[in-house]
Amino acid sequence: MSLDLFLLIIVVVTALAFDFTNGFHDTGNAMATSIASGALKPKAAVTLSACLNLLGAFLSTAVAATIAKGLVDAHLVSLELVFAGLVGGIVWNLLTWLLGIPSSSSHALIGGIVGAMIAAVGGHGVIWSGVVSKVLVPAVVATVIATLIASVGTWLVYRITRNVDEKHAEKVFQRGQIGSAALVSLAHGTNDAQKTMGVIFLALMSYGAVSTSATLPPLWVIVSCAIAMAAGTYTGGWRIIRTLGKGLVEIKPPQGMAAESAAAAVILLSSHFGYSLSTTQVATGSVLGSGVGKPGAQVRWGVAGRMVSAWLVTLPMAGGVGSGAYGLVHGIGGYPGIIVGVALLITATLAIWLRSRRARIDHHNVNAEWEGSLTGGLTDIDAHVPAPAQSPLVEQALRTAFEADPEIPQLTVITSDAPPAREVVRS
């Protein structure tokens, strides 16, 4: 096997790994509000999102062309450069996932590629006009527009339904949220899955497997990227889902539907025009807008500030990692360089995953009350009693209290869905 073919295989596998991380990193974009409002059960939500992400990946390839040709000079791209850029994107995705920060996977990937290109040939290899017009400007404009639309939409919803019984209205909007969340997932597939297609397309051009004048990636690239994105989505990025659903705003069904509808409209429009949009920033802006638009709603501006800070540093930080990875791989050179690069990526991934297990967040506790931080209040619960699926927090607290002192008579806990539980709980 030639070195170039070996490099191509490594790049394709690494690109699909990035697509997988993009899937679980961005699940919250579509499903956080539906999970938080109770419109969908957590596992049902991620399953629905995975299926629609898979479908959405086949509906558009305009963004793939932007990534492959609109940001860096395709004639200067090498396989080492593409690999290093992917390393930058993956590492930043995993770090922000660990912290529960909904940063942009798109900007992490683009930053990694641009950083590796600068390390390889200098700034002249980057199409700066494309970076500004197709990445930076759409990121700002789309986020502001999504925030405004969600804010106005939420205000109108509450204004129109002000004389409707609140419980009845919430039940109706919960049903509507299923449709709006599904639309966001479909829109996400039309935009984010295309980015990895564009990277593999770029690698195939560099290898010579496809012409630099080609306008569409091969079918196998589209299929494999769609499957990788869907698989990542199904695993559920619970840490980010928790931040978006519980940490930023306390979401009610009318807010959730308004936020999801605004996000879907903006993402679908950007996909149509081929803009490599940050779906994370659009979804976050929509959630923020739903909090601003609801009279009396509480927005946690400290959490919002941390998100914006992460957005501002995503491109340079991912670019720094991509640049460093290129310097290492190219400096060592040949097979050893690529093997060292892959080994370091696996080591970093494993270290971040092990760190996340110290305070585990999954579909059992993703909707637990927010107590000042991502994992606030979760560690103590998990240390005593594994949180059963759909178990109310009151039951968990009672279990913990009675297990702590063996001299207290054993408590019989009746689940909330059992008929006797509505009448009496006896010990």
Side-chain angles (χ1 to χ4, degrees), residues 20-152:
F20 182 87
T21 68
N22 192 355
F24 73 72
H25 194 278
D26 288 5
T27 308
N29 297 347
M31 292 300 169
T33 56
S34 294
I35 293 172
S37 69
L40 286 167
K41 303 297 184 185
K43 292 300 288 185
V46 297
T47 301
L48 175 63
S49 184
C51 293
L52 290 167
N53 263 298
L54 179 67
L55 177 61
F58 292 94
L59 298 183
S60 171
T61 55
V63 175
T66 296
I67 294 292
K69 296 184 177 182
L71 303 177
V72 293
D73 188 342
H75 298 92
L76 299 176
V77 172
S78 67
L79 292 172
E80 285 181 340
L81 185 152
V82 177
F83 170 74
L86 287 166
V87 171
I90 291 173
V91 170
W92 186 250
N93 262 0
L94 292 175
L95 283 172
T96 50
W97 164 78
L98 176 65
L99 298 173
I101 300 174
S103 67
S104 171
S105 297
S106 309
H107 290 177
L109 174 61
I110 293 167
I113 295 290
V114 169
M117 174 62 80
I118 292 173
V121 301
H124 70 275
V126 181
I127 304 174
W128 294 107
S129 60
V131 172
V132 172
S133 65
K134 290 187 175 292
V135 178
L136 298 180
V137 172
V140 175
V141 172
T143 304
V144 172
I145 290 175
T147 303
L148 291 175
I149 293 175
S151 180
V152 173

Side-chain angles (χ1 to χ4, degrees), residues 113 155-156 164 209 220 225 246 255 274 286 289 315 355 383 409 417:
I113 295 290
W155 183 85
L156 286 174
V164 179
W220 69 266
C225 288
K246 303 297 290 186
Q255 294 169 272
S286 297
L315 280 168
R355 179 65 181 82
D417 57 351

Side-chain angles (χ1 to χ4, degrees), residues 101-408:
I101 300 174
S103 67
S104 171
S105 297
S106 309
H107 290 177
L109 174 61
I110 293 167
I113 295 290
V114 169
M117 174 62 80
I118 292 173
V121 301
H124 70 275
V126 181
I127 304 174
W128 294 107
S129 60
V131 172
V132 172
S133 65
K134 290 187 175 292
V135 178
L136 298 180
V137 172
V140 175
V141 172
T143 304
V144 172
I145 290 175
T147 303
L148 291 175
I149 293 175
S151 180
V152 173
T154 301
W155 183 85
L156 286 174
V157 163
Y158 278 100
R159 180 71 176 173
I160 293 169
T161 62
R162 64 187 183 279
N163 295 324
V164 179
D165 178 71
E166 183 178 349
K167 291 184 178 179
H168 175 71
E170 288 192 357
K171 286 182 180 179
V172 173
F173 279 108
Q174 278 184 336
R175 298 190 189 100
Q177 265 197 281
I178 298 174
S180 59
L183 190 59
V184 177
S185 292
L186 188 69
H188 183 267
T190 67
N191 198 285
D192 273 43
Q194 315 304 317
K195 293 156 191 171
T196 307
M197 293 180 200
V199 169
I200 297 178
F201 197 16
L202 197 63
L204 293 172
M205 288 180 187
S206 175
Y207 182 72
V210 298
S211 170
T212 55
S213 61
T215 57
L216 292 175
L219 179 62
W220 69 266
V221 173
I222 298 173
V223 173
S224 58
C225 288
I227 292 173
M229 172 75 76
T233 302
Y234 180 72
T235 63
W238 304 112
R239 304 177 80 86
I240 292 175
I241 289 175
R242 176 162 169 75
T243 299
L244 275 177
K246 303 297 290 186
L248 188 59
V249 179
E250 288 295 333
I251 295 289
K252 297 294 183 182
Q255 294 169 272
M257 187 173 175
E260 290 162 354
S261 300
V266 173
I267 295 168
L268 286 171
L269 192 62
S270 68
S271 296
H272 175 73
F273 288 107
Y275 292 128
S276 179
L277 192 69
S278 168
T279 56
T280 299
Q281 291 177 204
V282 171
T284 304
S286 297
V287 173
L288 183 62
S290 74
V292 172
K294 181 189 176 184
Q298 179 188 5
V299 178
R300 298 185 178 94
W301 292 106
V303 176
R306 289 194 291 273
M307 291 180 186
V308 173
S309 298
W311 296 350
L312 292 176
V313 301
T314 291
L315 280 168
M317 292 297 291
V321 176
S323 176
Y326 179 83
L328 178 68
V329 171
H330 185 72
I332 297 175
Y335 289 101
I338 290 295
I339 292 171
V340 169
V342 171
L344 289 176
L345 176 60
I346 293 173
T347 300
T349 300
L350 184 60
I352 292 171
W353 181 79
L354 290 174
R355 179 65 181 82
S356 74
R357 308 302 285 178
R358 296 184 185 179
R360 182 176 179 178
I361 300 174
D362 56 23
H363 64 283
H364 293 143
N365 59 4
V366 68
N367 262 350
E369 289 303 314
W370 186 271
E371 297 185 11
S373 66
L374 177 68
T375 58
L378 298 183
T379 305
D380 294 339
I381 293 174
D382 292 342
H384 293 287
V385 183
Q390 311 309 323
S391 176
L393 290 176
V394 173
E395 291 181 20
Q396 296 173 29
L398 289 172
R399 290 178 193 271
T400 302
F402 276 79
E403 287 178 4
D405 190 346
E407 295 180 1
I408 298 177

